[in-house]
Amino acid sequence: MSDKCKKVYITTPIYYVNDVPHIGHAYTTIIADTLARYSRLVGHIDDVFFLTGTDEHGQKIEQAAKARGKSPQEYADEISGRFKELWDEFEISYDKFIRTTDEDHMRGVQKAFEVMYNNGDIYKDVYRGHYCVSCETFFPETQLIDNEFCPECGRSTTMVEEESYFFRLSKYQDKLLEWYENNPECILPKSKRNEVINFVKNGLEDLSITRTSFDWGVKLPESINDPKHVMYVWLDALMNYVTALGYGNDEKLMDFWPAKVHLIGKDILRFHAIYWPAFLMSLGLKLPKHVAAHGWWTRNGEKMSKSKGNVVNPKEIADAYGLENFRYFMLREVPFGQDGDFSQKALIDRINSDLGNDLGNLLNRIIGMSGKYFDFNVKSDGVKTYHSTELEEVESILSNIEEYLYEIQTNRYLEELWKTLRIANKAIDTGMPWAKMKEGKEDEAMATIALVANILAKVAVLLHPFMPKTTQKIASAIGFEINTESYNKIIKNNELLGDFKIEKIPPLFPRIEEQQLLETSTQKSETVKEEKKVKMEENKKQNDNESGANLITIDQFFQTQLKVGTVVEAEEVPKSKKLLKLQVDLGEEKPRQIIAGIKEWYSPDDLKGSQVCVVANLKPAKLMGMLSEGMLLAAKDDDGLCLIRPEKSRKPGSSIG
């Protein structure tokens, strides 16, 4: 493993206690748990610190508690307890569960405020602006929807004018841009880094970090002598990552800092990738190695909401389908950073196919053959003689697998691991131990069975952080324990198992024939839609396979009219972070209006007078109430978006073909 000598500090966000745990919370926590378990497995053991917990201050909590007839502390105790209870039931291997109502946390936050104040990074002024209670965030009027509504959650904002302390965020704009530039993996996935850079380049305003209109929060340090103020909830919350290590108190665990990975949801990326590193710079602390932002989860293609009754309760799913099967599905189903969709059908497919057919059935095959032919006794001494090619393929695949894990590409990690299972299954099908036994080639039959057992051993070790109990069963069946010693022998040094006796165990993944949980009528309707969609896609694939996948005729291509256009006017769309309004000359009587989502990569001045490629025969559509009469051609990858342009200037309206 890279940076072996360093300590590994992994964090989840601290979850806001405005509601009970849902699938998004479980997803983040399971990823973090997997990273922590892997780090311990490869040799860190006592050098891993895994933090999770709850965020319990702020006006939203104060209001929620009042609505339920409880004190804020009583309400926070109740909801925080539900998170801790679920993580304990899920056997999450955290080292500390922090609460922002902990006394040592609040002392650490006050210490940080004092340090930043004494550094000249905090000053007192009056704040006047729009505040969203739900998001606990101030927004300038230019970002509001219809001059009133929050651009993040859509709820009504409140005009606030009050005395406030401000953090000099603007002071750190250039230093932040330098950090992003010098550390290309500081924000994961890398596409999110470009979003943050563009936001910062547009200019940072100083940040209001205290409130006086409520008091459920951390008070300012006594040295400031201003007791009517409480700290902005995000300053309080973000500091948990260092107060958990003792910052401002005994500081005995501060050698774990900086964090290797902060795992968060994409909705709080700005706070973690802009505010947090600026706070750390002010405090003179090192910056985290990775801030990793995942996407959101939908259900059967629809956003989850209580009114629809389609919110996924992670405990119900784990109880119905098995916790470790649920863990595998979550980490395999969706590329990190993208939105994921949960359905029982998709979960069942993963269990039956990936786990049942590919992994469980492979173990069953060697248990059966070893018992039938060799009384369950297996020897590895012939594997290199008869299966050196397969061994080399497996070792090549696994040699670089770790990089996927620490870049939070858990789906890619599992995809690579499953390639080795395909090699094992193929080795049985081509080696045909049953035929070799009839031919009297017992050594070759034994070598094939032993090859598969050794591949299963490697898979069990590397899958262990994802499915710890299941993999221990596999390891027990083939005669070894999963620990750092076996990791070093089997993975790092590529040693083969010694002679061992296979233990016959029940099938690990019994086939699931039907959904285990009842769904509401709304969910059933969505499931039917999903199944119809899948069937249509399968039929389309079949037709494509017969006629050439995704091929179109030249006539179909020419149904699309592509033309060269000249941008004559360009301006920003008010209240939109992404849209520009363009007037594009296509050689027609008057320019076309095109609304393009390219504001993150181009300014109006970049485009005026330049030429672009336009899809000219699209049906007009309305975006934010404005008519768009075409679409620009562009290419996009992890490094951002760029427009497709003519190599040389051409007359507006020239056809592209």
Side-chain angles (χ1 to χ4, degrees), residues 429-490:
D429 295 339
T430 57
M432 297 187 292
W434 53 91
K436 293 293 192 296
M437 292 300 295
K438 290 180 181 178
E439 296 168 5
K441 298 177 180 178
E442 294 187 4
D443 288 350
E444 292 185 40
M446 173 63 81
T448 301
I449 293 170
L451 167 73
V452 174
N454 277 278
I455 292 175
L456 277 170
K458 291 177 182 290
V459 169
V461 171
L462 292 174
L463 186 60
H464 186 63
F466 296 75
M467 306 178 73
K469 289 188 173 179
T470 301
T471 49
Q472 282 291 13
K473 291 178 183 177
I474 296 172
S476 177
I478 52 182
F480 77 102
E481 287 285 328
I482 298 178
N483 50 36
T484 302
E485 181 182 0
S486 59
Y487 168 83
N488 287 332
K489 287 182 177 179
I490 294 171

Side-chain angles (χ1 to χ4, degrees), residues 54 135 368 428 628:
T54 46
C135 296
I428 293 176
S628 183

Side-chain angles (χ1 to χ4, degrees), residues 98-244:
I98 192 170
R99 299 179 59 185
T100 55
T101 51
D102 292 340
E103 288 294 331
D104 54 355
H105 167 75
M106 292 193 287
R107 282 195 300 271
V109 175
Q110 290 171 332
K111 172 68 174 178
F113 191 98
E114 195 171 47
V115 170
M116 291 190 286
Y117 182 86
N118 292 335
N119 285 345
D121 284 343
I122 292 177
Y123 63 93
K124 193 175 186 179
D125 206 335
V126 174
Y127 183 83
R128 184 178 188 278
H130 297 267
Y131 184 71
C132 175
V133 173
S134 179
C135 296
E136 302 276 10
T137 305
F138 292 98
F139 293 97
E141 192 166 318
T142 55
Q143 291 185 18
L144 298 181
I145 299 171
D146 295 333
N147 298 316
E148 177 185 354
F149 300 103
C150 174
E152 299 291 343
C153 70
R155 293 180 174 87
S156 181
T157 59
T158 303
M159 175 59 72
V160 172
E161 183 170 357
E162 63 183 9
E163 181 182 272
S164 177
Y165 286 84
F166 288 78
F167 175 75
R168 296 186 193 277
L169 186 63
S170 58
K171 170 182 173 181
Y172 291 97
Q173 178 170 328
D174 291 341
K175 290 182 179 179
L176 287 167
L177 291 172
E178 184 180 346
W179 180 52
Y180 308 143
E181 178 67 26
N182 294 337
N183 300 274
E185 294 184 350
C186 64
I187 299 170
L188 298 174
K190 294 177 184 177
S191 58
K192 294 293 183 186
R193 174 173 162 268
N194 297 324
E195 294 179 18
V196 172
I197 289 173
N198 288 323
F199 185 93
V200 175
K201 282 183 175 179
N202 285 333
L204 296 177
E205 297 181 359
D206 289 351
L207 182 66
S208 172
I209 56 170
T210 68
R211 298 291 306 280
T212 59
S213 55
F214 63 93
D215 63 5
W216 179 241
V218 180
K219 298 287 187 180
L220 301 196
E222 290 184 4
S223 61
I224 305 297
N225 193 27
D226 209 344
K228 65 179 178 293
H229 285 263
V230 296
M231 289 187 216
Y232 175 51
V233 67
W234 274 105
L235 172 60
D236 167 16
L238 289 165
M239 285 303 301
N240 93 90
Y241 300 125
V242 292
T243 62

Side-chain angles (χ1 to χ4, degrees), residues 272-551:
H272 284 79
I274 300 174
Y275 299 173
W276 178 227
F279 293 158
L280 290 169
M281 290 174 183
S282 179
L283 294 171
L285 295 174
K286 293 180 180 179
L287 304 191
K289 185 168 184 180
H290 302 300
V291 175
H294 65 71
W296 292 323
W297 282 85
T298 57
R299 183 166 193 171
N300 297 320
E302 284 212 338
K303 186 176 181 180
M304 296 183 204
S305 73
K306 290 181 180 178
S307 61
K308 291 180 181 177
N310 67 346
V311 176
V312 176
N313 181 327
K315 186 177 186 312
E316 286 183 357
I317 301 299
D319 288 346
Y321 290 96
L323 172 60
E324 301 209 345
N325 296 342
F326 177 58
R327 284 175 66 107
Y328 175 83
F329 171 81
M330 296 286 286
L331 300 177
R332 175 66 181 82
E333 184 69 7
V334 59
F336 184 85
Q338 297 183 19
D339 292 346
D341 188 62
F342 177 86
S343 71
Q344 290 193 70
K345 182 182 183 304
L347 174 57
I348 291 168
D349 287 346
R350 286 286 180 199
I351 295 171
N352 288 343
S353 178
D354 294 13
L355 297 176
N357 293 346
D358 296 340
L359 178 57
N361 190 50
L362 186 63
L363 178 62
N364 294 340
R365 293 177 83 179
I366 65 163
I367 288 175
M369 287 187 290
S370 66
K372 182 176 181 180
Y373 303 133
F374 303 109
D375 194 27
F376 298 106
N377 293 303
V378 178
K379 297 181 178 180
S380 300
D381 51 8
V383 173
K384 291 183 178 179
T385 302
Y386 296 106
H387 291 289
S388 60
T389 300
E390 289 92 337
L391 275 181
E392 289 171 5
E393 289 177 2
V394 169
E395 290 169 8
S396 176
I397 290 168
L398 300 183
S399 62
N400 297 313
I401 198 170
E402 181 184 276
E403 66 187 53
Y404 294 118
L405 202 57
Y406 282 117
E407 290 181 0
I408 326 298
Q409 298 184 52
T410 58
N411 66 307
R412 287 294 308 277
Y413 178 98
L414 292 169
E415 285 172 11
E416 293 298 299
L417 196 56
W418 250 245
K419 287 180 182 178
T420 68
L421 295 178
R422 289 197 287 274
I423 291 171
N425 276 303
K426 184 180 178 181
I428 293 176
D429 295 339
T430 57
M432 297 187 292
W434 53 91
K436 293 293 192 296
M437 292 300 295
K438 290 180 181 178
E439 296 168 5
K441 298 177 180 178
E442 294 187 4
D443 288 350
E444 292 185 40
M446 173 63 81
T448 301
I449 293 170
L451 167 73
V452 174
N454 277 278
I455 292 175
L456 277 170
K458 291 177 182 290
V459 169
V461 171
L462 292 174
L463 186 60
H464 186 63
F466 296 75
M467 306 178 73
K469 289 188 173 179
T470 301
T471 49
Q472 282 291 13
K473 291 178 183 177
I474 296 172
S476 177
I478 52 182
F480 77 102
E481 287 285 328
I482 298 178
N483 50 36
T484 302
E485 181 182 0
S486 59
Y487 168 83
N488 287 332
K489 287 182 177 179
I490 294 171
I491 304 300
K492 187 177 177 183
N493 299 330
N494 289 311
E495 296 178 21
L496 297 177
L497 298 171
D499 297 351
F500 64 94
K501 192 176 185 73
I502 286 187
E503 177 187 344
K504 190 174 182 179
I505 63 172
L508 293 174
F509 309 104
R511 186 168 184 83
I512 300 173
E513 299 294 347
E514 58 186 24
Q515 295 186 3
Q516 304 297 296
L517 293 174
L518 295 175
E519 295 188 334
T520 66
S521 57
T522 303
Q523 292 165 7
K524 287 178 181 177
S525 173
E526 292 304 322
T527 301
V528 169
K529 288 180 186 177
E530 180 71 13
E531 289 174 350
K532 286 181 178 178
K533 180 181 174 184
V534 169
K535 191 157 188 176
M536 288 173 65
E537 288 176 350
E538 288 174 350
N539 290 338
K540 182 179 181 299
K541 285 179 182 177
Q542 184 175 350
N543 292 336
D544 286 343
N545 288 336
E546 292 171 0
S547 60
N550 299 320
L551 298 180

Side-chain angles (χ1 to χ4, degrees), residues 23-88:
I23 190 172
H25 301 129
Y27 179 55
T28 323
T29 308
I30 289 169
I31 294 174
D33 181 64
T34 300
L35 291 175
R37 288 177 182 272
Y38 182 86
S39 299
R40 297 183 190 110
L41 175 67
V42 301
H44 288 280
I45 311 226
D46 298 323
D47 294 325
V48 174
F49 197 86
F50 169 19
L51 176 70
T52 190
T54 46
D55 178 8
E56 303 174 22
H57 287 133
Q59 189 175 12
K60 184 162 52 172
I61 303 304
E62 188 176 68
Q63 292 177 351
K66 185 176 180 180
R68 291 163 176 80
K70 298 180 179 181
S71 71
Q73 187 66 60
E74 288 173 332
Y75 177 71
D77 288 346
E78 177 188 336
I79 305 299
S80 177
R82 294 189 189 181
F83 276 93
K84 191 172 188 301
E85 181 182 10
L86 182 62
W87 301 156
D88 289 343

